[in-house]
Amino acid sequence: MSYATTAAAVCAPPQPVVPSSTAAAPRRSRERDRGSWLRFSPAQPLFRARAAQCLAVLAYHGITDPASFGAQLDRLRRLATPVSVQDVERSLAEGRPLPPRSVLVTFDDPDRTVLRHALPELVARRIPAAAFVIAELVGTEKPFWWHEAAFLARHGGRARMLPGGADPGRVLALLKAMPDPDRRRSLAELRVSAYRRPPAQEQLRPEDLCTLRDADVAVGNHTLGHPSLRRCDEATVHAEISGAHRALTRWLGEAPSAFAYPDGGFDERADAVLRRLGYRLGFLSDHRLGPRLPAHPLRISRLQVDSTTSTRRFDTILSGLEPAVQRLLGAHA
């Protein structure tokens, strides 16, 4: 019997009778509740034992709760073995698995909260990490394009390829599914038609990247503008990766060796570009554990986590139980 099947058999949540209004609780609330009861599941020790033989790569974004993030790092210090990008690269070069319970902390789309809030917590505990940067935002006050699009949609923005009056969430889903030229064109139309401009967002500066690097936070490539690479033509895939590579090399004085896919999914054309540029590691966003000696260095799994994630849910994510149950629920939806 697989671990996922075991989770389904022993982790089914109780099914109380609830009013219909309660049954429509937000998805995020349901996930928090699931994390709470999973922590006490009899499957959790099984998954924890199995996770000891895996590499857990945690994928954060901005840090909105420094105290909670610090508590998560304390648990990593007690329950796991924090490793660096260099440790993973060395393991691959030598063909030697990482230590049991290895965990790598990473950040996608790092904003200034990573510098102000995450970095002091990491340094205080001597935990290495990696930050994957959107190169065209460095040194600017531009918001992330998905924040900008949602704001513009809420303030009258219209585009020919988007339905009028659509919910911002629906607008984002449609934009992400578009071929990249259509996404960029629609964003430009939203900017022209909206009656308000989004607020500025101060991004990391080139010198901040060096600060991170010098504090044992490896700075990696997350493309120039964070498109869905699978929605791009081959020339755009090359330009997005190589353009960011050149910029990061100029700012850091050395070439980055790690890459994170901006849409979280593997792309063969991107893989070819990364190999030509000498990248040694590539990271997905598939909410899975991976082997301590990655079989595919440019396709390393990561677990999605947030600084506000409760301690109980954090433990079940780290063990792989919560991701396994999530996949089961998605398969049966």
Side-chain angles (χ1 to χ4, degrees):
M1 182 180 291
S2 71
Y3 277 87
T5 305
T6 301
V10 300
C11 298
Q15 299 295 326
V17 177
V18 293
S20 59
S21 58
T22 305
R27 178 181 178 184
R28 184 171 297 177
S29 176
R30 293 198 301 270
E31 290 179 345
R32 284 197 297 266
D33 293 342
R34 182 169 67 239
S36 296
W37 58 258
L38 280 177
R39 176 63 180 80
F40 302 102
S41 160
Q44 172 68 354
L46 301 174
F47 275 78
R48 189 185 296 118
R50 177 175 176 261
Q53 302 307 316
C54 296
L55 168 63
V57 184
L58 303 181
Y60 290 88
H61 287 80
I63 299 300
T64 58
D65 190 336
S68 175
F69 179 66
Q72 292 170 4
L73 296 182
D74 287 337
R75 292 194 74 77
L76 291 184
R77 269 292 175 207
R78 290 196 299 271
L79 304 174
T81 303
V83 297
S84 67
V85 162
Q86 291 76 18
D87 290 331
V88 180
E89 292 177 350
R90 190 178 307 114
S91 170
L92 287 162
E94 297 175 357
R96 175 179 48 81
L98 290 159
R101 302 190 185 281
S102 288
V103 177
L104 171 62
V105 175
T106 71
F107 302 89
D108 283 1
D109 326 320
D111 58 16
R112 297 197 70 77
T113 65
V114 172
L115 186 74
R116 292 169 178 163
H117 302 318
L119 188 61
E121 303 291 341
L122 291 164
V123 169
R125 295 162 179 83
R126 298 182 179 180
I127 294 179
F132 295 101
V133 175
I134 304 172
E136 71 179 20
L137 297 183
V138 173
T140 76
E141 294 186 347
K142 298 177 182 177
F144 298 118
W145 74 257
W146 50 96
H147 291 171
E148 181 185 18
F151 181 95
L152 296 172
R154 286 194 299 269
H155 293 86
R158 297 288 184 271
R160 285 169 292 179
M161 299 188 71
L162 296 171
D167 175 83
R170 174 66 174 156
V171 168
L172 285 179
L174 291 171
L175 286 170
K176 290 178 180 179
M178 288 179 182
D180 197 59
D182 294 335
R183 177 185 68 88
R184 291 179 180 273
R185 188 178 305 110
S186 296
L187 269 172
E189 292 174 6
L190 288 171
R191 293 180 183 119
V192 169
S193 58
Y195 56 80
R196 286 187 61 186
R197 302 275 78 78
Q201 179 177 353
E202 187 182 8
Q203 300 286 353
L204 294 173
R205 300 182 294 267
E207 56 267 33
D208 297 328
L209 304 184
C210 295
T211 297
L212 290 170
R213 188 266 317 276
D214 294 343
D216 210 10
V217 178
V219 176
N221 187 337
H222 206 37
T223 70
L224 276 174
H226 202 287
S228 173
L229 294 179
R230 289 175 290 187
R231 304 291 179 181
C232 298
D233 60 29
E234 189 167 351
T236 302
V237 169
H238 184 275
E240 285 283 339
I241 296 173
S242 60
H245 181 80
R246 289 192 297 271
L248 290 170
T249 300
R250 183 171 69 253
W251 292 325
L252 296 168
E254 59 187 12
S257 62
F259 176 83
Y261 287 87
D263 59 353
F266 180 74
D267 183 271
E268 292 282 358
R269 301 163 304 164
D271 178 89
V273 176
L274 295 171
R275 290 177 187 278
R276 286 198 297 271
L277 291 173
Y279 280 77
R280 294 186 284 275
L281 302 178
F283 293 92
L284 309 175
S285 297
D286 53 356
H287 206 44
R288 292 177 180 268
L289 293 162
R292 288 191 291 135
L293 182 62
H296 303 286
L298 294 179
R299 279 180 275 181
I300 298 176
S301 293
R302 288 192 295 173
L303 299 163
Q304 299 299 309
V305 69
D306 186 81
S307 64
T308 62
T309 299
S310 69
T311 298
R312 291 176 179 176
R313 186 169 177 235
F314 184 77
D315 286 352
T316 62
I317 292 173
L318 199 60
S319 73
L321 175 57
E322 193 261 13
V325 171
Q326 240 188 45
R327 289 192 294 276
L328 278 169
L329 294 177
H332 293 118

